[in-house]
Amino acid sequence: MQKLVLASNNTGKVREFQALLAPLNFQVIPQGELGIPSAEEPHHTFIENALAKARHASAASGLPALADDSGICAHVLNGQPGVLSARFAGEPANDAANNQKLIQELKGQINRGAHYVCALVFVNSADDPEPMIVQTRWYGTLIDDPKGTNGFGYDPYFFLPELGLTAAELKPEKKNAISHRGQALRELIIQLQTRSSRA
């Protein structure tokens, strides 16, 4: 199996990536297991933050690295919380507090449209001049009362009208098949396969 450092210590993300990458013979190692601290995320875009995290993890480990920067964007809030999704309510990061703040910000708003964003970056090395970059969206609406116990983050409040369920009510396999992260990883896999076949 090829070892790959995942530039995240988020247990929910680690589980999802391990499940999605296992069939490709990748051994996904969370950076925390290698003693690698989290990278700074000072940028205003998902892609720039993901690239910074991937280069940081690769430099510290000497291995290829995969990083994602993802979050939720509420349309009526001009895309907030966006890149600040994980710490919307401040430090330390807390899903319950973040959700509470977002629903409070949406109080009285008719437009509840939102989308998850996933920017995914793969680097072969810290100074890889050709990082693979994918960015995808997953559309839904935000509801006031949480439903479901699967997933993490804003999933209990992220409602999918076409399914009549929240992201937290989906079985993990279903979520991985349609989510922003699942979409991004499938696109990245195609890029990886294309590059290796032409190398």
Side-chain angles (χ1 to χ4, degrees), residues 146-158:
K147 294 180 181 177
T149 56
N150 295 329
F152 60 97
Y154 299 89
D155 287 354
Y157 295 85
F158 188 70

Side-chain angles (χ1 to χ4, degrees), residues 17-33:
F17 279 120
Q18 285 174 333
L20 289 161
L21 284 166
L24 288 172
N25 224 25
F26 278 110
Q27 180 187 351
V28 178
I29 306 167
Q31 63 183 7
E33 287 185 13

Side-chain angles (χ1 to χ4, degrees), residues 45-139:
T45 68
F46 293 103
I47 287 174
E48 288 172 298
N49 283 329
L51 185 57
K53 290 193 275 189
R55 292 200 188 283
H56 170 79
S58 185
S61 66
L63 294 168
L66 178 67
D68 95 304
D69 197 46
S70 52
I72 198 162
C73 299
H75 301 164
V76 76
L77 300 179
N78 296 317
Q80 287 189 69
V83 295
L84 300 176
S85 291
R87 294 168 183 82
F88 192 41
E91 296 282 7
N94 180 294
D95 283 353
N98 290 336
N99 280 309
Q100 187 177 10
K101 180 175 181 182
L102 179 58
I103 298 309
Q104 187 62 36
E105 297 270 339
L106 289 170
K107 200 169 183 178
Q109 296 289 351
I110 296 170
N111 180 357
R112 289 302 190 93
H115 61 270
Y116 270 123
V117 176
C118 176
L120 203 52
V121 173
F122 174 88
V123 294
N124 274 310
S125 61
D127 57 357
D128 188 343
E130 294 183 277
M132 292 187 185
I133 299 172
V134 173
Q135 184 167 281
T136 53
R137 287 179 170 189
W138 189 25
Y139 289 91

Side-chain angles (χ1 to χ4, degrees), residues 171-187:
K171 291 181 178 176
E173 316 83 67
K174 178 66 173 176
K175 182 187 175 188
N176 288 343
I178 64 174
S179 74
H180 53 311
R181 201 165 290 114
Q183 293 176 48
L185 195 52
R186 278 192 298 280
E187 286 189 32

